[in-house]
Amino acid sequence: MDITPLWLVVNAASGSNSDAAVHDVTVALAHAGCAPARTVRFSDEDLPTRDLLEREGVATLAIFTGDGTINTTTTRIEGWSGRVLVLPGGTQNLLSKSLHGDVPASDVVRAAVHDGGTKRLRVVRTSQGTSLVEVLAGPGAMWADVREGVRDLDFGTIAESFSAAWRETTEGPGVRLANPAVGRAEGYRAVRIAPQNTQVLIEGYDFEDFGQFAAQGFAMLVKRDFRQGPHDDLGHFDCVTCRSDSPIALMIDGERRQGGTEEHFVCEEFDLDFLATRSAGD
């Protein structure tokens, strides 16, 4: 597959974006016959816009970052006629795993050039942005603030955000599923909403032992590995409305947002072509 000319987006703040890793990805792209015509180093440089990519005749935008920067980049260029190659450049790399499996960036590059196809993603639309991977709604989403401090090694921020996350998860109001009215009447400390096929998957997370929740919040939510924890499977729906007695904290693809007391989530197609090397049955 001819995917040139290709631009590459990297982010030094993402989990796997060391200089050596960026060099290896650049070499892998060159060996595959698609050396980057330009490398955009976010956040030192602005992310490309749809108009810029079209004006420069770019065919493929490779993004070697974490899920948060992938979200920011792709929602900025939705509607562009080119293709996006997601590479695993973060900590969890959930979107890359969905598109390619849990494989190194160099393997993704080779497979994309020789055997890759394109696909459209289903996403979750919210009042605070679009999620390509998942939304976490409720007090549990505040652990993303702790994660930011950990990532920046800002101990003052870690202490302050940990205190706020602890307070909200132990004392703050939960999030209720209002439409459809499913799950616990008193709500959950966190509701996970993720696109799956043509609908959104809903899971409710709660812990009776809040000390355990705080420990798991730091170990799992900060690392974004909470999905295997105890939860209620609430079903698949075209859309869902959540309500709370206070503004609902949101974590959209790992990045914090602040919603209102009522938030609506709907599954829609994302207007962008992604290179994919993983078949639906893998």
Side-chain angles (χ1 to χ4, degrees), residues 68-89:
T69 306
I70 292 169
N71 179 299
T72 302
T73 306
T74 55
T75 54
R76 183 182 175 92
I77 62 172
E78 185 177 4
W80 175 49
S81 59
R83 294 164 295 195
V84 170
L85 173 60
V86 172
L87 300 173

Side-chain angles (χ1 to χ4, degrees), residues 5-9 37-41 45-61 73 76-82:
L6 176 144
W7 282 15
L8 173 65
V9 174
R38 176 181 172 185
T39 298
V40 178
R41 298 182 181 276
E45 300 176 74
D46 291 337
L47 292 170
T49 63
R50 174 182 171 182
D51 288 344
L52 176 62
L53 294 174
E54 291 177 347
R55 186 167 64 249
E56 296 294 329
V58 178
T60 304
L61 185 66
T73 306
R76 183 182 175 92
I77 62 172
E78 185 177 4
W80 175 49
S81 59

Side-chain angles (χ1 to χ4, degrees), residues 229-279:
H231 63 272
D232 293 343
D233 292 315
L234 302 178
H236 294 78
F237 308 96
D238 293 331
C239 57
V240 63
T241 299
C242 293
R243 292 181 185 146
S244 180
D245 294 334
S246 66
I248 300 172
L250 301 173
M251 183 167 65
I252 299 177
D253 292 354
E255 303 298 323
R256 269 281 279 122
R257 301 288 186 272
Q258 188 65 38
T261 55
E262 178 175 300
E263 287 294 329
H264 186 66
F265 307 90
V266 61
C267 188
E268 294 181 352
E269 184 178 88
F270 194 63
D271 187 14
L272 197 62
D273 289 327
F274 288 80
L275 287 166
T277 63
R278 179 183 184 182
S279 66

Side-chain angles (χ1 to χ4, degrees), residues 192-256:
R192 178 176 176 251
I193 304 113
Q196 191 170 91
N197 298 322
T198 61
Q199 296 182 307
V200 289
L201 164 70
I202 310 297
E203 298 172 343
Y205 291 78
D206 217 314
F207 298 88
E208 294 181 1
D209 181 344
F210 288 113
Q212 178 189 21
F213 184 88
Q216 292 189 347
F218 192 87
M220 295 191 295
L221 290 178
V222 171
K223 296 179 181 179
R224 298 185 61 202
D225 194 20
F226 55 89
R227 298 157 207 82
Q228 297 182 18
H231 63 272
D232 293 343
D233 292 315
L234 302 178
H236 294 78
F237 308 96
D238 293 331
C239 57
V240 63
T241 299
C242 293
R243 292 181 185 146
S244 180
D245 294 334
S246 66
I248 300 172
L250 301 173
M251 183 167 65
I252 299 177
D253 292 354
E255 303 298 323
R256 269 281 279 122

Side-chain angles (χ1 to χ4, degrees), residues 9-138:
V9 174
V10 300
N11 181 0
S14 295
S16 300
N17 265 223
S18 66
D19 289 342
V22 171
H23 174 266
D24 289 346
V25 165
T26 303
V27 170
L29 288 166
H31 285 170
C34 49
R38 176 181 172 185
T39 298
V40 178
R41 298 182 181 276
F42 182 73
S43 58
D44 294 335
E45 300 176 74
D46 291 337
L47 292 170
T49 63
R50 174 182 171 182
D51 288 344
L52 176 62
L53 294 174
E54 291 177 347
R55 186 167 64 249
E56 296 294 329
V58 178
T60 304
L61 185 66
I63 310 176
F64 182 59
T65 71
D67 290 314
T69 306
I70 292 169
N71 179 299
T72 302
T73 306
T74 55
T75 54
R76 183 182 175 92
I77 62 172
E78 185 177 4
W80 175 49
S81 59
R83 294 164 295 195
V84 170
L85 173 60
V86 172
L87 300 173
T91 303
Q92 288 293 322
N93 302 311
L94 298 178
L95 186 57
S96 179
K97 289 174 183 176
S98 173
L99 292 168
H100 313 298
D102 190 5
V103 296
S106 57
D107 291 351
V108 173
V109 169
R110 285 191 293 270
V113 171
H114 298 294
D115 304 308
T118 60
K119 70 178 295 185
R120 289 288 177 99
L121 300 179
R122 302 291 293 188
V123 298
V124 179
R125 305 284 190 183
T126 82
S127 71
Q128 300 302 310
T130 298
S131 168
L132 282 68
V133 178
E134 64 189 6
V135 179
L136 197 71

